[in-house]
Amino acid sequence: MDANRTAYLETQLQDLHAQGLFNHIRTIDSPMDARLVVDSQPVINLCANNYLGLANHPLLREAAKQAIDQYGIGPGAVRSIAGTMRPHIELEHRLAAFKGAEAVITLQSGFAANLATIPALVGRGDVIFSDQLNHASIIDGCRLSRAKIVAYAHNDVDDLRRKIAEETEYERRLIITDGVFSMDGDIAPLDQLVAVAEEHNILLMVDDAHGEGVLGRGGRGIVDHFGLHGRVDVEVGTLSKAFGVVGGLVAGRQNIIDWLRQRARPFLFSSAMSIPDTAACLAAVGLLQASEERVERLWSNAAFFREALQGLGFDTGASQTPIIPVMLGEAPLAQEFSRRLFEAGVFAMAIGYPTVAQGKARIRVMNSAAHSQTDLEEALEAFAQVGKALGVIR
Ligand SMILES: *Cc1c(COP(=O)(O)O)cnc(C)c1O
């Protein structure tokens, strides 16, 4: 094979290195928990979406093992041919009951859930109104649908109204927003979006990946948080974050879920969640239903950490949730901050352009119910020490 055929990739990789944008992906040598061994070094984990500490929970581990003994591992076919097993159906029923939705369908991931849902709801000749900061999987789902995509300013309901007034020639219309925005930790004004959708008779979809298991009573999600049951057409979620496993879900009206079972392409043409994943998710729903204590601990940990960071003099941006950005400005400073935290035994990710706007680089702190008070206090000491050394705080 002629190596020249991929020479352009070599150039692109070298460019990434030259610009300091090459992502060196770290390897975890321990279970996903409050503390990790990363590249052989013990660290406090402030990076994961494991909000409730379920990724290594003994009940989830046990449920996965038992399900393997009963059903094996792989589904062996796509859901619509011979890949729907009893635990899949049971999980969908349990999730619908938990969330207070008419029906639920599960997909392989939150990413797949967006690719499944959006093109099944709208197509050529339709229009989608999409928050400017929506997640990449929403953007890709919108593109796959071939509908016209109109971005509105982030969380700006007035701008959304203006955009709706400008786009009059479309039959079907869909408004899409993230529930919790993953880089800033702010919450979509879903109550106001519902009002707009109802006023104009437009379909409304929310992707609650960072709100599933986090927002609402006992982690029932953003629709529950705002008390909007039955008024949001489609709620996409993930089982890969607070639920501690891997998978995606769509909750909504029965006819929407029935339609997805007939037409959603990742459901029809890609195999389902594995049996141990499905069983572990069932155990996670059981834990969430049995107690709200874990969700409460997550929020009290996050409030403690945010207030302590602010007390030290850090700028925590627009955070309203357990996602806390520590705003630093330029990307090289954020990189250096993250590197020094790691040396001090704290694993927290630097995020810069193009994931966030230029000049808005930050450290993103992810809180978890798994953290003890000692974990948080040790991490704060490292933030204080590195912040002073780099002249970010005094
Ligand atoms: C993380 C995330 C996803 C992807 O979820 P996976 O289950 O990891 O595929 C989708 N949408 C949003 C808004 C997310 O934050």
Side-chain angles (χ1 to χ4, degrees), residues 247-266:
L249 70 103
V250 188
R253 245 192 312 286
Q254 186 71 51
N255 59 13
I256 293 178
I257 304 307
D258 287 347
W259 179 246
L260 293 178
R261 285 185 201 283
Q262 300 304 313
R263 282 294 179 272
R265 292 169 71 84

Side-chain angles (χ1 to χ4, degrees), residues 109-112 114 135 137 178 180 182 207 209-210 238-241 247:
S109 69
F111 201 111
N114 279 320
H135 188 261
S137 57
D178 269 32
V180 174
S182 54
D207 175 355
H210 283 281
T238 181
L239 302 166
S240 327
K241 288 176 175 144

Side-chain angles (χ1 to χ4, degrees), residues 128-355:
I128 300 169
F129 302 98
S130 174
D131 187 289
Q132 182 193 3
L133 294 189
N134 275 345
H135 188 261
S137 57
I138 296 181
I139 295 171
D140 287 5
C142 291
R143 288 177 180 158
L144 271 177
S145 77
R146 297 188 171 98
K148 176 170 179 183
I149 302 161
V150 177
Y152 62 90
H154 175 53
N155 279 351
D156 186 339
V157 179
D158 292 330
D159 190 48
L160 171 61
R161 286 180 193 281
R162 275 192 296 277
K163 297 278 157 61
I164 290 169
E166 285 166 12
E167 306 292 339
T168 53
E169 271 140 57
Y170 298 90
E171 173 130 9
R172 269 171 301 196
R173 298 176 293 174
L174 173 65
I175 299 168
I176 305 187
T177 184
D178 269 32
V180 174
F181 288 84
S182 54
M183 294 303 143
D184 292 288
D186 54 339
I187 302 175
L190 196 62
D191 47 350
Q192 297 173 54
L193 294 173
V194 162
V196 174
E198 287 177 351
E199 197 178 305
H200 295 273
N201 199 24
I202 302 179
L203 278 168
L204 176 62
M205 167 173 154
V206 60
D207 175 355
D208 199 28
H210 283 281
E212 208 72 71
V214 173
L215 287 178
R217 287 168 305 133
R220 284 164 175 78
I222 192 167
V223 169
D224 190 87
H225 171 80
F226 282 104
L228 295 169
H229 295 280
R231 295 174 67 191
V232 176
D233 298 289
V234 190
E235 195 184 354
V236 163
T238 181
L239 302 166
S240 327
K241 288 176 175 144
F243 277 73
V245 192
V246 168
L249 70 103
V250 188
R253 245 192 312 286
Q254 186 71 51
N255 59 13
I256 293 178
I257 304 307
D258 287 347
W259 179 246
L260 293 178
R261 285 185 201 283
Q262 300 304 313
R263 282 294 179 272
R265 292 169 71 84
F267 185 82
L268 298 178
F269 298 108
S270 178
S271 295
M273 289 172 68
S274 76
I275 286 300
D277 284 340
T278 308
C281 286
L282 270 164
V285 184
L287 283 173
L288 284 169
Q289 264 167 335
S291 161
E292 301 189 359
E293 193 248 324
R294 237 177 227 89
V295 178
E296 282 160 15
R297 188 143 31 92
L298 166 68
W299 283 89
S300 66
N301 278 354
F304 170 78
F305 209 82
R306 189 186 304 108
E307 279 159 34
L309 284 171
Q310 288 168 354
L312 287 169
F314 288 108
D315 172 4
T316 57
S319 166
Q320 300 172 272
T321 63
I323 301 173
I324 307 179
V326 176
M327 307 303 288
L328 293 170
E330 296 311 315
L333 175 61
Q335 294 287 355
E336 180 62 12
F337 204 110
S338 174
R339 208 181 53 72
R340 292 202 190 194
L341 281 176
F342 194 80
E343 279 171 10
V346 173
F347 187 27
M349 208 51 140
I351 300 193
Y353 182 79
T355 308

Side-chain angles (χ1 to χ4, degrees), residues 3-17:
N4 277 335
R5 256 183 264 159
T6 52
Y8 71 104
L9 294 178
E10 212 50 58
T11 312
Q12 285 169 205
L13 284 165
Q14 279 161 11
D15 285 350
L16 287 182
H17 282 291

